[in-house]
Every structure is written in structure tokens, then in C-alpha cells.
């Protein structure tokens, strides 16, 4: 293959791959893609001017529906791929990727059917293109786009807007600066009335990407010729005009084949009195070569910008891949490793929350510094140690015989029943710490970027962590209750020793029995109990936080995921991959991204190779 062929072939392959990926700039006005950066050739002209016929003769194969009236009703993106000599010819539709067509009559039928699938058997049009690839040793590498013909009036069965609709559709293709326009005009009409030239002039005023093609030279009135047009006198274009003689409707009906038609066309020019001096620059074969040569120069000029577009796109795709995360390994060992890595990432963030660096750990201190003291303060000791209650408890403890010196039993009962009140705040602190930790687990999972892809693992990690926290809470609860119970089981003797003795203070050993029943006596008991309780409260205010940190916070830091690790260790390959189950939408996106990346990387390598070979 020459460099020229390989260059255009390369563009074709890239465009083909773009198409397969849905990465083509269709009429739907997708983002500028590689496809649009590459040149393509579109056929423009009035209805029945011979567009489809010209395309067919460039391809050298009968495969397009042709005839009078509106035959082409959807854009046809036709990619010609030149294959090695001796290879079989075949065609392939994008919408039927598994089927290779070797019978070109069936290709034509499929184009008709596929058109009807979208538009129904009407005369309506659709801008959704049909993509067809032809692989053959006899074609030149080219991408051609057949478009519905421009019309002047809507016919029966067409909406009034059809004239404008067709023009708009054609325009979306030909206004792209990379589109080479094959402007088809029939020779049996005045060139001044050519729809093709009119539209081409609008979108390409300098004419640098317009090729004028004059069809139906054989149908001109006897005694007239098209030399004024073909020699550029009627309407000057940058590129020379090419005259064509396609098969007539009668030829088509008689099934005159392409080889014969091409020979007849050659003979027509060679033997024509008017055109024989132009014969070497006329006809479909010449047009194909002209186009392909032009494409080559366009592509050559574009290589640097195409190259940089490819590089830029590769960078974008690479960073999207990074964002999406690389695909997961398939073997169990690697999966286990991945899971443990993810756990570590989460655990690190969780610890940062506790130890600072990330917020949240301070809320645990808040529990000890505000919530616990406030709760202790609110305990209803005033009511419990009211004169009335103290009297009641002490008398009940005394039984039938009132106490003689100090109400030992009464004191104990009052203290024990008061100490019971500490259980509430103690448990509440444990719960509060538990909820802070739980919240931090939730937050840390959300903040672990690497985990984002794995909803199942996220859920399992959360569940396992919550389970551990629950266990820590239970331990902690038992410990703080034990602290409270310990206070109740053995009272601080020193405290009572230091209390001033009523008896001594009274000074008169004859009166204590009377004293014992005065309000003052009970008030003193209440106040002694109360200051004992305050002392205990101070102690618990310090020891409950120690217990909670020891049982919950420290354990969360040390062994939050231990339970999870044992579970994961027992899992088999299949269960492991279930844990790494990704969001299907995300997997799909990565797949698309990877495919695209491969396409662009191949394109880059090929373009590099071609530009070095120059
Ligand atoms: P399109 O609507 O522009 O795609 O036109 P077609 O390719 O379908 O051709 C319309 C009709 O004109 C068909 O019957 C063709 O056989 C006929 N036709 C096209 N080109 C020529 C030509 O150069 N000579 C003759 N005699 N007939 C032609
Ligand atoms: Mg047509």
C-alpha cells in the first residue's frame, strides 16, 4: 500500500472505530469528536440528480437504492475499506454487527428496510444516519455520505416542512469545515438552477472544499454540450469539474452491471466529439482518484492538529479512568488484597477523625466535658434528700427501735439509693460516645474515595463496624455500671470519720435522744449524705470518661475491623468478587472509557507511524 492509501485507510479505520463506539459527530450535533476532526465526503444535490448513482460508481458496486422520487430518506455513512488483493468483498452495517453481506442486492434491501424501520413506508425523512462499511480490494479508502436530495415542494404524504427539513439536515453535514462537498448537478438542467451549487456556495464561499460533479451528460439535448461548465467558465470552482455518465433508469432495469457501466462511460468520453479532449479527466474512476488525492492532502495538513486532539483526548480519558478507578483483578488473592487495601484506607480516615486532622473526635470530649457534668448536675438529689424523705428512709431503717447515736442503716440506705441515680448519666455517656463513633464510621466510609465504586463493600464495612461498636458499647456499659456499683458496695470511711460528731457537739449527753427527732438532726443527715454524693459525683465525672475511652474509643482505634477481617478471611473467590461488586453504570462507563482509550491510543500509534514514514 502506498502512504496515501494507508493514510486515508487510517482515517477510515479511526472513523469506523469512532462509529462503533457511538463516538461520531452525527446530525444530532454531538460534541466535537475525533470523527469530526477527520475529513469526510458528502454528496449534495437536488432530488434525482444522480447522487446515489455517483456514489455507486465510485464504489464500483451496485448496492444503493436508486430511482425517481425520494429514495434516499436517511443519511448513509458509507465507509470504503481497501483490503488486500484476493480478499473477498463484503459489506457490514453498524446496526447488524454480526452479519457479513456478500450479496450486494441484499445490502440495498437492508438499506431500504432500515430506512423504513425509522420512517415507516412513507416519504418522510430522518436525520439518523445508517452506517455501512464496505471491505473490498477494488475500492479506495474513503468515507462518503449519501444524503436525501434537496427538493422544492412537499409531495403527497410529506409534511410541509420537508423542504426545509431536508435542507437543514444536509446543511448540518456540509457546514462542518472538514466536510468535502460533492456537489452534484444534472447536465440537463441549467447550472444556474443547481441546488447543489447554491448550498455549497453558502457553506463554502471560497470553493476550496467543493467538487463540482456534472451528471447525465448523455441526457443533454442534441446539439448542446456542457463544456462551459466543465471547463469552468459558467461557474468557477477551485477544483476542476468532473463530468459523469451514470447508468440510466433503463440500464438499471436491465441490470447492466457496474463493470460494463464503467466501460461504457469510458467509451462515452473517449468517443465524444465534445469531450474527448477532456476524457482523461472525466468519469467516475477519475472522480474517485481525484477525491482520494484531495483527501490525502487534507489529511496531511491536518495531521498535527489531529495528533494533538488525540493526545488531548487520551489525557482526558486517562484522567477519567483514574477517577473511575482501574478495573479489579479477577483472582481471589488480588481481590483479597484490594479489599484489605480499601479497609486500610477507610481505617486511616476513621483514625484521623478520632485523633484530629479531621473533625468529629472533639465531639467525644464534648460528651465528657458538657453532657456528662450537666446530666450529673440534673440528678434529683434535692428531692431525694428532702427533709421528708430523709425522715422516712431513716425511720424505716430504724424499725421499731430508733437509732441511738447515728442512724447507720439510714445513712447506708440514703447513700445507696442516691448512688443508683448515677447509672442513668453513666449509660447515657456510653451511648453518646457510641453514636459519635457510629457517625464517624459513616462519615469515614463516605470520605474514602477508593470505596466509592463499591457499594456492597461499603455496606458490609459499615455493618461490620457497627457490630464491633455495639460490642464495645456493651463492654463500656458494663464497666461504667460497675464503677457506680463499686461506689455503692464500699463507702469511703474517711469521709464519715471526718464528719463532726453530733454527740460531742451537743455537749450535753443527757439530751441526744430528744435532738435525734428534731428537723435539724435530719437536715444534718441530708447534708452529710449530699456532700458524700457530691464527692462520688466528682469521682464518677472523672472515671466514666476513662472507662468509655478505654472500652470504646481505644478499642475502635485498635480493633474496629478485626471482626470484618476474620469474616473476609473465610470468604471464597466468588464471595470476594461479590464484595467488590461495582455499580453497573460505573462498570459500563469504565468499559466505554477503556474502549475509547484503546481506540485513541491505536490511532496515535498509527498516526505516529504514518508521519514518520513520510
Ligand atoms: P439521487 O436521487 O440524486 O440519488 O439520484 P439517483 O442516483 O437515484 O438517480 C436518479 C435517476 O437518474 C435514476 O433513474 C438514474 O438511473 C438516473 N441517472 C442518474 N445519473 C444518470 C446519468 O448520468 N445518465 C442517465 N441516463 N441517467 C442517470
Ligand atoms: Mg439517492
Amino acid at each position: 500500500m502506498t502512504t496515501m492509501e494507508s493514510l486515508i485507510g487510517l482515517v477510515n479505520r479511526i472513523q469506523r472505530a469512532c462509529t462503533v463506539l457511538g463516538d461520531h459527530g452525527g446530525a444530532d450535533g454531538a460534541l466535537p469528536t475525533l470523527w469530526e476532526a477527520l475529513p469526510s465526503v458528502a454528496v449534495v444535490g437536488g432530488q434525482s440528480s444522480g447522487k446515489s448513482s455517483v456514489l455507486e460508481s465510485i464504489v464500483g458496486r451496485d448496492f444503493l437504492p436508486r430511482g425517481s422520487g425520494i429514495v434516499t430518506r436517511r443519511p448513509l455513512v458509507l465507509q470504503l475499506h481497501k483490503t488486500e488483493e484476493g480478499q473477498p468483498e463484503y459489506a457490514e452495517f453498524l446496526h447488524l454487527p454480526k452479519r457479513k453481506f456478500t450479496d450486494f442486492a441484499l445490502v440495498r434491501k437492508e438499506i431500504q428496510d432500515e430506512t423504513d424501520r425509522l420512517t415507516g413506508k412513507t416519504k418522510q425523512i430522518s436525520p439518523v444516519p445508517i452506517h455501512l462499511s464496505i471491505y473490498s480490494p477494488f475500492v479506495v479508502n474513503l468515507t462518503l455520505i449519501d444524503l436525501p436530495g434537496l427538493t422544492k415542494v412537499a409531495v403527497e404524504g410529506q409534511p410541509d416542512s420537508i423542504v426545509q427539513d431536508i435542507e437543514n439536515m444536509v446543511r448540518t453535514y456540509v457546514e462542518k469545515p472538514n466536510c468535502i462537498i460533492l456537489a452534484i448537478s444534472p447536465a440537463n438542467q441549467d447550472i444556474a438552477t443547481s441546488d447543489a451549487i447554491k448550498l455549497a456556495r453558502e457553506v463554502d464561499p471560497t470553493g476550496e472544499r467543493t467538487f463540482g460533479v456534472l451528471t447525465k451528460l448523455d441526457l443533454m439535448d442534441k446539439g448542446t454540450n456542457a463544456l462551459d461548465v466543465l471547463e469552468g467558465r459558467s461557474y468557477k470552482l477551485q477544483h476542476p469539474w468532473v463530468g459523469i455518465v451514470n447508468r440510466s433508469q433503463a440500464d438499471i432495469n436491465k441490470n447492466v452491471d457496474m463493470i460494463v457501466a464503467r466501460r461504457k462511460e469510458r467509451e462515452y468520453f473517449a468517443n465524444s466529439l465534445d469531450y474527448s479532449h477532456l476524457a482523461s479527466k472525466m468519469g467516475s474512476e477519475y472522480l474517485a482518484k481525484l477525491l482520494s488525492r484531495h483527501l490525502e492532502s487534507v489529511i496531511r495538513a491536518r495531521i498535527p492538529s489531529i495528533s494533538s486532539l488525540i493526545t488531548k483526548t487520551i489525557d482526558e480519558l486517562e484522567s477519567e479512568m483514574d477517577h473511575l478507578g482501574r478495573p479489579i483483578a479477577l483472582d481471589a488473592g488480588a481481590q483479597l488484597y484490594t479489599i484489605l487495601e480499601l479497609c486500610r484506607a477507610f481505617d486511616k480516615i476513621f483514625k484521623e477523625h478520632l485523633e484530629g486532622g479531621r473533625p468529629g473526635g472533639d465531639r467525644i470530649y464534648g460528651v465528657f466535658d458538657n453532657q456528662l457534668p450537666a446530666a450529673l448536675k440534673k440528678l434529683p438529689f434535692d428531692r431525694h434528700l428532702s427533709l421528708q424523705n430523709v425522715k422516712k428512709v431513716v425511720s424505716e431503717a430504724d424499725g421499731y427501735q430508733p437509732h441511738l447515736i447515728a442512724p447507720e442503716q439510714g445513712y447506708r440506705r440514703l447513700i445507696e439509693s442516691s448512688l443508683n441515680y448515677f447509672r442513668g448519666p453513666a449509660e447515657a455517656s456510653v451511648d453518646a460516645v457510641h453514636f459519635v463513633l457510629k457517625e464517624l464510621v459513616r462519615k469515614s466510609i463516605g470520605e474514602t474515595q477508593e470505596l466509592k465504586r463499591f457499594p456492597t463493600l461499603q455496606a458490609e464495612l459499615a455493618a461490620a463496624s457497627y457490630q464491633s461498636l455495639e460490642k464495645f458499647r456493651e463492654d463500656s456499659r458494663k464497666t461504667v455500671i460497675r464503677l457506680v456499683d463499686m461506689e455503692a458496695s464500699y463507702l469511703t470511711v474517711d469521709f464519715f470519720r471526718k464528719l463532726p460528731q453530733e454527740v460531742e457537739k451537743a455537749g450535753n449527753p443527757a439530751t441526744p435522744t430528744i435532738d435525734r427527732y428534731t428537723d435539724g438532726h435530719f437536715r444534718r443527715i441530708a447534708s452529710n449524705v449530699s456532700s458524700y454524693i457530691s464527692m462520688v459525683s466528682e469521682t464518677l465525672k472523672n472515671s466514666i470518661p476513662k472507662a468509655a475511652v478505654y472500652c470504646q474509643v481505644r478499642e475502635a482505634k485498635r480493633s474496629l475491623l478485626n471482626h470484618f477481617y476474620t469474616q473476609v478471611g473465610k470468604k471464597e473467590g466468588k464471595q470476594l468478587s461479590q464484595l467488590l461488586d461495582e455499580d453497573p453504570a460505573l462498570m459500563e462507563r469504565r468499559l466505554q472509557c477503556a474502549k475509547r482509550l484503546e481506540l485513541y491510543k491505536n490511532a496515535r500509534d498509527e498516526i505516529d507511524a504514518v508521519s514518520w514514514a513520510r
Side-chain angles (χ1 to χ4, degrees):
M1 263 194 204
T2 64
T3 331
M4 174 184 92
E5 277 170 339
S6 66
L7 204 59
I8 302 175
L10 157 67
V11 166
N12 242 18
R13 281 196 300 283
I14 297 176
Q15 282 181 331
R16 163 101 192 126
C18 287
T19 314
V20 171
L21 289 179
D23 202 2
H24 53 85
D28 44 314
L31 294 168
T33 59
L34 188 51
W35 170 280
E36 284 185 9
L38 301 169
S40 54
V41 180
V43 194
V44 184
Q47 197 169 299
S48 293
S49 56
K51 298 180 297 300
S52 299
S53 302
V54 167
L55 274 188
E56 272 193 335
S57 45
I58 290 177
V59 179
R61 271 299 192 170
D62 298 276
F63 64 97
L64 289 175
R66 287 150 311 173
S68 55
I70 183 157
V71 181
T72 309
R73 291 183 287 120
R74 281 175 66 179
L76 177 81
V77 177
L78 174 66
Q79 294 193 290
L80 308 181
H81 306 264
K82 185 176 175 58
T83 52
E84 298 292 323
E85 227 148 288
Q87 295 290 313
E89 272 185 302
Y90 66 93
E92 215 176 55
F93 286 96
L94 179 69
H95 65 270
L96 293 172
K98 298 223 160 56
R99 207 169 138 198
K100 282 194 167 116
F101 288 78
T102 47
D103 180 347
F104 281 77
L106 290 179
V107 173
R108 173 182 307 134
K109 184 166 182 315
E110 181 55 35
I111 294 174
Q112 275 159 352
D113 292 350
E114 177 59 18
T115 301
D116 292 345
R117 261 171 226 140
L118 237 114
T119 58
K121 279 195 186 301
T122 60
K123 291 179 176 149
Q124 315 240 0
I125 57 157
S126 157
V128 181
I130 299 174
H131 289 269
L132 173 64
S133 283
I134 293 180
Y135 297 83
S136 160
F138 309 119
V139 295
V140 287
N141 284 312
L142 262 184
T143 293
L144 298 160
I145 303 168
D146 192 12
L147 292 164
L150 300 160
T151 54
K152 300 256 187 289
V153 286
V155 296
E156 195 53 39
Q158 290 181 330
D160 289 339
S161 64
I162 189 113
V163 175
Q164 198 55 48
D165 291 346
I166 293 178
E167 192 185 316
N168 291 345
M169 187 206 297
V170 172
R171 204 181 278 275
T172 58
Y173 282 88
V174 297
E175 70 191 0
K176 305 244 159 77
N178 288 318
C179 181
I180 293 161
I181 305 167
L182 265 196
I184 314 278
S185 316
N188 56 355
Q189 272 171 31
D190 195 329
I191 198 71
T193 66
S194 163
D195 301 306
I197 292 297
K198 181 167 167 275
L199 186 63
R201 190 162 43 185
E202 272 179 53
V203 298
D204 175 33
T206 58
E208 57 194 16
R209 53 190 182 93
T210 302
F211 283 79
V213 177
L214 207 59
T215 55
K216 306 196 184 180
L217 286 172
D218 59 317
L219 293 185
M220 289 185 75
D221 286 339
K222 287 241 156 52
T224 62
N225 67 47
L227 281 175
D228 275 353
V229 176
L230 291 177
E231 291 178 339
R233 285 187 296 276
S234 301
Y235 186 77
K236 183 130 184 67
L237 287 168
Q238 300 244 348
H239 303 283
W241 281 82
V242 179
I244 297 272
V245 176
N246 290 313
R247 284 166 297 176
S248 64
Q249 191 60 43
D251 292 337
I252 294 169
N253 296 348
K254 275 187 278 172
N255 273 327
V256 172
D257 83 29
M258 188 58 75
I259 310 292
V260 176
R262 276 192 173 176
R263 201 189 61 227
K264 275 180 143 178
E265 188 189 28
R266 263 199 310 274
E267 284 167 8
Y268 176 89
F269 285 111
N271 302 331
S272 156
L273 291 178
D274 292 322
Y275 310 120
S276 59
H277 66 293
L278 293 173
S280 65
K281 294 188 166 171
M282 293 288 133
S284 339
E285 278 168 290
Y286 177 73
L287 178 62
K289 285 201 195 99
L290 190 67
L291 276 179
S292 156
R293 216 181 305 146
H294 176 70
L295 264 180
E296 188 212 358
S297 69
V298 170
I299 294 171
R300 274 202 194 294
R302 295 270 156 79
I303 278 189
S305 66
I306 293 173
S307 249
S308 76
L309 173 72
I310 290 179
T311 313
K312 189 171 145 265
T313 313
I314 288 178
D315 287 348
E316 283 167 10
L317 289 170
E318 294 269 17
S319 79
E320 186 175 355
M321 272 307 246
D322 283 339
H323 182 75
L324 294 174
R326 299 287 163 177
I328 318 148
L330 288 176
D331 68 296
Q335 287 182 339
L336 185 62
Y337 180 79
T338 307
I339 293 173
L340 294 182
E341 283 286 280
L342 291 167
C343 291
R344 262 192 287 280
F346 154 74
D347 205 39
K348 184 166 165 282
I349 290 179
F350 179 68
K351 284 201 180 99
E352 284 170 10
H353 273 295
L354 287 178
E355 289 166 353
R358 287 175 195 261
D362 51 317
R363 278 170 47 208
I364 294 177
Y365 178 66
V367 171
F368 303 147
D369 194 43
N370 300 316
Q371 195 177 321
L372 176 62
L376 291 174
K377 225 184 194 153
K378 269 201 226 122
L379 290 177
F381 291 126
D382 285 352
R383 191 154 31 85
H384 190 62
L385 298 177
S386 66
L387 191 58
Q388 195 189 2
N389 199 43
V390 169
K391 261 186 196 165
K392 180 169 164 272
V393 173
V394 171
S395 331
E396 276 171 13
D398 281 351
Y400 71 92
Q401 184 174 27
H403 60 275
L404 299 178
I405 298 172
E408 176 85 12
Q409 277 310 315
Y411 265 111
R412 284 190 187 279
R413 284 200 191 177
L414 281 171
I415 289 174
E416 270 163 33
S417 54
S418 299
L419 288 178
N420 263 334
Y421 283 106
F422 287 118
R423 287 166 177 260
E427 286 184 330
S429 298
V430 169
D431 287 346
V433 170
H434 176 77
F435 288 118
V436 174
L437 290 173
K438 221 171 145 177
E439 172 63 16
L440 291 183
V441 164
R442 199 187 59 79
K443 250 181 142 159
S444 304
I445 287 179
E447 286 167 12
T448 310
Q449 207 55 39
E450 301 92 317
L451 269 177
K452 288 249 184 306
R453 307 157 55 182
F454 305 111
T456 311
L457 183 59
Q458 280 184 33
E460 296 266 324
L461 259 185
S465 301
Y466 293 162
Q467 215 176 331
S468 298
L469 289 182
E470 209 61 64
K471 194 176 141 283
F472 304 153
R473 158 153 84 169
E474 192 46 36
D475 277 353
S476 188
R477 202 184 59 78
K478 279 188 190 138
T479 307
V480 295
I481 294 300
R482 185 166 284 181
L483 283 178
V484 175
D485 287 349
M486 275 154 60
E487 291 296 339
S489 68
Y490 188 71
L491 306 183
T492 309
V493 183
D494 243 17
F495 177 88
F496 293 96
R497 288 230 175 95
K498 281 183 190 144
L499 280 181
Q501 287 301 306
E502 284 177 48
V503 194
E504 286 161 23
K505 228 171 63 183
N508 184 357
T511 50
T513 34
I514 305 153
D515 239 1
R516 224 161 287 142
Y517 300 102
T518 62
D519 285 357
H521 172 67
F522 286 109
R523 230 175 252 124
R524 215 169 299 122
I525 294 173
S527 119
N528 287 342
V529 171
S530 167
S531 55
Y532 185 80
I533 294 300
S534 300
M535 184 192 73
V536 172
S537 176
E538 274 309 306
T539 312
L540 289 177
K541 201 163 80 188
N542 291 323
S543 57
I544 288 173
K546 290 180 207 285
V549 168
Y550 184 85
C551 298
Q552 292 173 279
V553 182
R554 194 186 65 126
E555 279 308 306
K557 264 164 61 183
R558 275 168 32 149
S559 60
L560 182 70
L561 291 179
N562 281 7
H563 179 60
F564 182 73
Y565 289 147
T566 11
Q567 279 182 331
V568 169
K570 286 187 212 135
K571 284 194 198 292
E572 305 281 324
K574 196 163 157 254
Q575 295 165 300
L576 287 177
S577 34
Q578 268 164 9
L579 269 186
L580 292 176
D581 217 4
E582 285 185 276
D583 182 355
L586 195 128
M587 271 153 81
E588 181 55 32
R589 253 179 72 195
R590 181 184 311 104
L591 202 70
Q592 286 302 324
C593 196
K595 276 193 193 156
R596 211 155 279 180
L597 195 57
E598 194 186 285
L599 157 69
Y600 278 70
K601 279 185 172 163
N602 283 342
R604 181 185 57 192
D605 293 349
E606 288 203 50
I607 284 198
D608 284 351
V610 171
S611 21
W612 284 111
R614 269 193 288 175

